[in-house]
Amino acid sequence: MSSLWESVTQSLTMREILNQPVSWTATLGLDAAALCAVAPGDEELIFTGCGSSYYLARAAASLAREALGVPASAVPASDVLLVPQQVFSRRRSRLVAFSRSGETIETVAACRAARRFGTTVAVTCAADSSLSAAADASVNLPHAGDESVVMTQSFTNMLLAVMAGCAHASGDAARLAELRMLPESARAGLPEWQRTAEEVAGDPHWSQAFFFGTGAYYGLACEASLKLKEMTQAVTEAYHPLEFRHGPQSLLTDRTLCVHLRRGGPAGSEDDLMGDVRKRGALGVTVAPAEADFCLGPGIGDWARAPLYLPPLQLLALARTALAGLDPDRPRGLTRVVTLSGEVAGQ
Ligand code: F1P
């Protein structure tokens, strides 16, 4: 093992990243009926959370809409509290609230506030939490909690639980079968992803990083961006690839890393963008099923593959943290649970 990884191999964050094949297997083994709590009847699906859990909500909303064919959206928990009139429609809602700790005050308050608009479901790694108690139903993943401040396996397992719930509820055996391939794909990929992460993190030519993702992958790109930001205080942002051209590309320098969470199959306009950023001196890195810097492996479609993009990018953030001599388990200025002082509207 290289000295870079030796310096973080005892960290909680490393252990929790590498544990994902095991925790994913446990999540996929949960009772389908419990997982189906996230699937709506005739309600409108609204996903919510804070920080990483909000980005998780973004990805989950796109994937649920695709799998179930129902209206689905994602909002930060603070919007549920502060502008409910812009979140809830006249239709009954099913609010799915993500929280690793189950104690984030905005998310708990949002769940309580949502009860007058419809059903509420908690997805959490803390079964006996305030969120779990506040919701009508709770999908509990105690095996997937992170002790580290930054979310890694908790994020991917909560996403996987909702995806499996949608596949069960829609009776889609093909989607379920692909989800069941994820643990082995991750186990097989981790050693090579570590090597690539060390190489990219060690490139001295970048000091800012942009992450590109289309559809559900935009929520994943937001999470990858936040990981690097939280752990190293780097300047990072996430964009829908083609949106980058509409202004943000003015930020591009030859000291920029651009990471593309690429779908399988043809993505010509997105590949063109990556070609352009490389021509302007940026370091372009792709994460894709094949022919990529981070190769995710074949046999799993774009929908089911979503969780697989995270471990390589978690390792990238961890490698960069190690190179900076920072502690991945105690990122600057962050706590494992954010508690606000004073009253939060809607509680
Ligand atoms: C989520 C959260 C993360 C943040 C940090 C602290 O809390 O705010 O989004 O990145 O790890 O916790 P939770 O509601 O999911 O417990």
Side-chain angles (χ1 to χ4, degrees):
M1 177 182 290
S2 71
S3 59
L4 175 141
W5 294 112
E6 278 174 7
S7 69
V8 291
T9 191
Q10 295 306 314
S11 69
L12 293 167
T13 308
M14 180 79 162
R15 199 181 315 158
E16 288 153 2
I17 292 171
L18 297 183
N19 190 55
Q20 287 176 111
V22 171
S23 53
W24 292 1
T25 301
T27 295
L28 289 166
L30 290 177
D31 170 36
L35 295 174
C36 288
V38 299
D42 59 355
E43 308 111 321
E44 174 184 1
L45 265 179
I46 298 172
F47 293 87
T48 195
C50 294
S52 289
S53 295
Y54 167 50
Y55 298 144
L56 167 52
R58 294 194 75 119
S62 299
L63 294 166
R65 189 186 297 114
E66 179 176 353
L68 298 170
V70 298
S73 59
V75 293
S78 50
D79 268 16
V80 175
L81 291 176
L82 303 178
V83 286
Q85 71 279 10
Q86 295 178 21
V87 172
F88 299 101
S89 70
R90 282 191 292 275
R91 285 184 66 166
R92 265 183 71 76
S93 64
R94 179 169 289 253
L95 182 99
V96 179
F98 291 107
S99 178
R100 167 185 65 180
S101 65
E103 298 302 339
T104 294
I105 193 166
E106 303 105 297
T107 309
V108 176
C111 187
R112 290 178 177 142
R115 292 181 68 113
R116 67 180 186 277
F117 297 100
T119 310
T120 57
V121 179
V123 181
T124 181
C125 299
D128 303 325
S129 61
S130 304
L131 181 67
S132 193
D136 296 312
S138 188
V139 176
N140 300 319
L141 311 174
H143 61 280
D146 314 299
E147 291 176 59
S148 179
V149 168
V150 295
M151 290 175 66
T152 50
Q153 70 172 346
S154 58
F155 183 102
T156 54
N157 276 282
M158 288 194 281
L159 177 61
L160 184 57
V162 165
M163 294 174 76
C166 290
H168 277 297
S170 56
D172 193 325
R175 288 191 202 274
L176 268 178
E178 288 191 356
L179 290 177
R180 290 197 173 100
M181 292 173 65
L182 289 171
E184 177 50 30
S185 295
R187 193 200 56 75
L190 281 167
E192 187 56 35
W193 299 340
Q194 272 187 248
R195 282 188 284 276
T196 305
E198 181 172 0
E199 186 185 323
V200 175
D203 187 307
H205 299 103
W206 62 274
S207 57
Q208 64 177 4
F210 300 142
F211 294 82
F212 301 144
T214 292
Y217 294 3
Y218 172 66
L220 306 181
C222 289
E223 170 57 8
S225 170
L226 180 64
K227 279 293 84 66
L228 191 58
K229 190 178 293 182
E230 284 180 329
M231 296 171 72
T232 69
Q233 293 77 55
V235 173
T236 70
E237 293 300 341
Y239 298 99
H240 293 85
L242 300 194
E243 278 300 298
F244 185 66
R245 291 184 188 283
H246 295 273
Q249 72 175 11
S250 63
L251 293 174
L252 205 58
T253 67
D254 58 2
R255 296 192 54 73
T256 304
L257 167 66
C258 290
V259 180
H260 182 200
L261 285 72
R262 190 187 187 284
R263 290 166 292 131
S269 54
E270 297 178 35
D271 295 336
D272 292 345
L273 172 73
M274 290 303 285
D276 290 349
V277 301
R278 289 187 178 101
K279 282 184 197 135
R280 292 177 59 175
L283 174 62
V285 168
T286 53
V287 193
E291 295 169 29
D293 300 285
F294 288 104
C295 232
L296 302 179
I300 303 177
D302 287 345
W303 186 87
R305 192 185 320 111
L308 209 51
Y309 287 84
L310 269 302
L313 299 177
Q314 293 163 351
L315 287 170
L316 173 59
L318 181 57
R320 193 73 169 182
T321 305
L323 283 170
L326 298 171
D327 181 349
D329 295 344
R330 276 176 287 282
R332 190 177 74 185
L334 279 183
T335 55
R336 195 174 173 284
V337 183
V338 173
T339 51
L340 300 178
S341 57
E343 192 65 19
V344 180
Q347 239 186 340

